[in-house]
Amino acid sequence: MRGFHFSNFQPDDLPKGGFDELLKLFTQLLNYTAGDAGEALAWMNELDKKYKFTNNEYGMGNFIDDLTEKGYLKENPANGDLSITAKTEQTIRKSALEEIFGRLKKAGRGNHNTNISGIGEEKNADRREFSFGDSLDQIDITASIQNAQINHGIANFTLTERDLEVEEKDYKTLTSTVLMIDISHSMILYGEDRITPAKKVAMALAELIKTRYPKDTLDIVVFGNDAWPISIKDLPYLQVGPYHTNTFAGLELAADLLRRRKTHNKQIFMITDGKPTCLKENGRYYKNSMGLDRKVINKTLNMAAQCKRLNIPITTFMIAQDPYLQQFVREFTQINGGRAFYSSLTGLGEYIFEDYIKNRRKTVR
């Protein structure tokens, strides 16, 4: 692969002015304000007072005018309130994808290994160093020669194994994924915002599938006291509610959505920070937030077993460290035959992206 290029270190500071820089900050703030443009702009004004990232040539008023003119904001004629547009929603998804997938790319090959031996059929955008066992037709000759010129110079041309660059290939499999997001009240308790990273990962995953794997499908299910599907365009506005955690309802809906998909690869990704605490029986809620309720847990485990019978593995991303919760997740995972990650909020995106790309390169039967 290519050699190293050194340059002066530039710290990642606040915006220094100009529309593009301010737009990045604006889209980040929209994640925290659940898509409320007015609140995000109010925060930007407060930050501007403190850090002075606008100037006499380009102020916040110019930025708001540009947002409207460029189609990022629209005004409600009735009351004058500003709201974001579909263009802004897509910009937020792209920003989340660049933030998460950019970190993943920098980490190198990682766990992008396939469980199927042999060479794939369909090229993808991944590149890596040559390793023993790779076939000659996987080598990108143009990129490899360019690497050799950069690493060794043109005058004394040398091509070594380290210069060889290999194109990754995918098998022509289609994957149907349901991403379950816990929106119970505990996702914002204890001074930690867990819902914002969760929905940012969901937006990035949606954009990845739409741009790189357009034949794959992604359904998004949120669950609190009940479970319901939401569309991709609803993600920036997602908020937690005064809800308990009805994991059973989320899994039941996810399995029902996947039954309708005519693909071999089906999987559920579940992002949660707590234990199941709620069921709905005969139109009434059965709730118990004190410990692990036997009735709630057993029904949830039965749903995990049913998903296994349907060949639907569940990958649980538990963003909590309580030992008794981890014990429940281990039992849940064992019954389903899936996987579990005990992830920090900062590592959540990399875990999900690695697992998604790895899973879509094999056929689950």
Side-chain angles (χ1 to χ4, degrees), residues 48-68:
D48 188 28
K49 289 178 185 177
K50 183 173 183 179
Y51 297 103
K52 298 179 175 59
F53 45 72
T54 62
N55 50 53
N56 294 333
E57 287 73 35
Y58 194 86
M60 284 299 299
N62 300 114
F63 175 63
I64 295 172
D65 289 341
D66 284 347
L67 285 174
T68 305

Side-chain angles (χ1 to χ4, degrees), residues 23-88:
L23 180 62
K24 293 178 182 177
L25 177 59
F26 180 60
T27 54
Q28 286 289 334
L29 291 174
L30 285 172
N31 287 317
Y32 293 94
T33 64
D36 188 326
E39 186 178 355
L41 290 171
W43 283 17
M44 288 190 71
N45 276 305
E46 291 301 316
L47 291 170
D48 188 28
K49 289 178 185 177
K50 183 173 183 179
Y51 297 103
K52 298 179 175 59
F53 45 72
T54 62
N55 50 53
N56 294 333
E57 287 73 35
Y58 194 86
M60 284 299 299
N62 300 114
F63 175 63
I64 295 172
D65 289 341
D66 284 347
L67 285 174
T68 305
E69 291 174 8
K70 294 176 185 292
Y72 291 97
L73 288 180
K74 59 184 178 183
E75 184 176 341
N76 186 336
N79 54 24
D81 289 344
L82 295 172
S83 59
I84 63 176
T85 64
K87 182 177 181 179
T88 310

Side-chain angles (χ1 to χ4, degrees), residues 75-116:
E75 184 176 341
N76 186 336
N79 54 24
D81 289 344
L82 295 172
S83 59
I84 63 176
T85 64
K87 182 177 181 179
T88 310
E89 293 165 2
Q90 185 180 27
T91 301
I92 296 172
R93 294 197 301 269
K94 286 183 176 179
S95 175
L97 177 62
E98 291 169 2
E99 178 184 341
I100 295 172
F101 201 60
R103 289 199 300 263
L104 183 65
K105 283 289 188 182
K106 291 176 184 177
R109 187 178 181 187
N111 295 323
H112 289 193
N113 298 320
T114 174
N115 289 348
I116 305 174

Side-chain angles (χ1 to χ4, degrees), residues 105 112 119-128 135-143 165-173 211-215 357 360-361:
K105 283 289 188 182
H112 289 193
I119 303 170
E121 302 161 315
E122 194 173 73
K123 292 180 181 180
N124 65 38
D126 290 344
R127 295 292 186 272
R128 59 175 174 81
S135 63
L136 294 179
D137 68 334
Q138 288 180 271
I139 298 174
D140 186 333
I141 299 299
T142 302
E165 190 165 322
V166 170
E167 296 176 303
E168 289 277 35
K169 295 184 178 181
D170 289 341
Y171 289 85
K172 291 182 180 178
T173 60
T211 55
R212 287 193 57 186
Y213 308 111
K215 294 182 180 179
I357 295 174
R360 81 172 307 279
R361 292 181 182 170

Side-chain angles (χ1 to χ4, degrees), residues 34 42 47 53 58 89 115 119 150 175 189 192 194 203 205 224 231 241 285 298 311 318 338 352 356-358:
L47 291 170
F53 45 72
Y58 194 86
E89 293 165 2
N115 289 348
I119 303 170
I150 294 172
T175 301
L189 285 180
E192 189 170 37
R194 296 165 177 172
M203 288 187 287
L205 184 60
S231 64
Y285 294 107
N298 286 344
N311 293 321
M318 174 62 77
I352 290 182
Y356 174 79
I357 295 174
K358 178 181 177 182

Side-chain angles (χ1 to χ4, degrees), residues 94-287:
K94 286 183 176 179
S95 175
L97 177 62
E98 291 169 2
E99 178 184 341
I100 295 172
F101 201 60
R103 289 199 300 263
L104 183 65
K105 283 289 188 182
K106 291 176 184 177
R109 187 178 181 187
N111 295 323
H112 289 193
N113 298 320
T114 174
N115 289 348
I116 305 174
S117 61
I119 303 170
E121 302 161 315
E122 194 173 73
K123 292 180 181 180
N124 65 38
D126 290 344
R127 295 292 186 272
R128 59 175 174 81
E129 289 187 22
F130 177 87
S131 61
F132 180 78
D134 290 329
S135 63
L136 294 179
D137 68 334
Q138 288 180 271
I139 298 174
D140 186 333
I141 299 299
T142 302
S144 299
I145 293 175
Q146 184 181 8
N147 293 339
Q149 291 174 340
I150 294 172
N151 293 339
H152 311 294
I154 300 177
N156 184 21
F157 181 78
T158 304
L159 182 67
T160 67
E161 181 178 319
R162 183 175 177 272
D163 302 319
L164 298 178
E165 190 165 322
V166 170
E167 296 176 303
E168 289 277 35
K169 295 184 178 181
D170 289 341
Y171 289 85
K172 291 182 180 178
T173 60
L174 301 179
T175 301
S176 294
T177 303
V178 173
L179 178 62
M180 292 173 50
I181 303 176
D182 184 349
I183 58 168
S184 63
H185 188 56
S186 61
M187 290 289 278
I188 56 169
L189 285 180
Y190 316 116
E192 189 170 37
D193 176 12
R194 296 165 177 172
I195 189 63
T196 299
K199 69 180 182 181
K200 186 182 293 187
V201 167
M203 288 187 287
L205 184 60
E207 192 65 17
L208 174 75
I209 292 173
K210 284 169 65 70
T211 55
R212 287 193 57 186
Y213 308 111
K215 294 182 180 179
D216 285 5
T217 65
L218 174 66
D219 292 289
I220 301 169
V221 169
V222 295
F223 63 103
N225 289 350
D226 300 284
W228 61 94
I230 63 171
S231 64
I232 292 172
K233 67 181 183 64
D234 295 329
L235 280 169
Y237 312 101
L238 188 62
Q239 302 182 65
V240 301
Y243 304 128
H244 292 260
T245 308
N246 192 342
T247 308
F248 172 82
L251 292 171
E252 186 177 41
L253 176 57
D256 186 53
L257 291 170
L258 289 173
R259 281 193 196 97
R260 306 173 194 175
R261 300 295 186 185
K262 307 301 181 183
T263 55
H264 289 299
N265 281 10
K266 299 179 181 182
Q267 59 185 352
I268 295 173
F269 287 169
M270 179 170 64
I271 303 174
T272 183
D273 73 330
K275 56 188 179 295
T277 61
C278 178
L279 294 172
K280 194 171 186 179
E281 299 178 320
N282 301 319
R284 300 183 64 181
Y285 294 107
Y286 174 86
K287 304 172 185 177

Side-chain angles (χ1 to χ4, degrees), residues 11-29:
D12 185 16
D13 291 328
L14 285 166
K16 297 178 175 62
F19 178 78
D20 292 336
E21 287 288 320
L22 294 177
L23 180 62
K24 293 178 182 177
L25 177 59
F26 180 60
T27 54
Q28 286 289 334
L29 291 174

